[in-house]
Amino acid sequence: QVQLVESGGGLVQAGGSLTLSCEASESIFSIDVVGWYRQAPGKRRELVADIAGDMSNYADSVKGRFTISRDQSKNTVDLQMNSLKPEDTAVYYCNAKLRGSLTGNLEYEFWGQGTQVTVSS
């Protein structure tokens, strides 16, 4: 069981910046895939960015504006969000995936409680 606690959401004007942090109950570098998803009202939850090993992956809509990173000293995965747009408004969720020891497949998935990001125009 991996517990994830997000922080850093809030209200910001378009063009502004926010940094989200997700603290994990396990070593952040021991988690196979860790990342951020978001869900806007009336829309499906979507991947924003994730990181596995040295590889990071971004949704096309945030490429060049958002950066995902892991901080060993704080044991967090952070999402630096720049040039925010009203369409970035959503609840942002931290996500962790672990591989099964027998199959090596990503079998276990954990979610944080979410943090609201609101971008005003």
Side-chain angles (χ1 to χ4, degrees):
Q1 185 81 7
V2 178
Q3 295 180 328
L4 304 167
V5 179
E6 302 104 332
S7 61
L11 173 64
V12 64
Q13 288 188 333
S17 298
L18 277 176
T19 300
L20 304 183
S21 288
C22 171
E23 185 174 2
S25 60
E26 304 292 328
S27 167
I28 201 69
F29 283 90
S30 72
I31 299 173
D32 295 300
V33 184
V34 64
W36 290 90
Y37 287 69
R38 66 186 181 187
Q39 188 166 19
K43 295 190 177 181
R44 296 177 64 180
R45 192 172 296 188
E46 63 176 1
L47 174 68
V48 176
D50 61 18
I51 188 166
D54 294 330
M55 300 294 294
S56 55
N57 175 51
Y58 295 90
D60 288 343
S61 59
V62 306
K63 281 181 181 176
R65 299 188 298 124
F66 291 11
T67 303
I68 189 170
S69 62
R70 288 174 291 187
D71 188 322
Q72 187 170 19
S73 65
K74 297 186 297 179
N75 204 44
T76 60
V77 55
D78 300 328
L79 186 69
Q80 174 67 43
M81 306 185 294
N82 298 326
S83 302
L84 282 161
K85 305 175 181 180
E87 51 264 44
D88 294 318
T89 295
V91 178
Y92 284 70
Y93 296 91
C94 186
N95 175 271
K97 298 182 180 71
L98 298 176
R99 298 187 186 280
S101 58
L102 295 179
T103 67
N105 297 328
L106 292 171
E107 296 183 347
Y108 305 98
E109 187 170 36
F110 305 93
W111 294 94
Q113 81 285 355
T115 186
Q116 177 70 45
V117 172
T118 302
V119 184
S120 63
S121 57

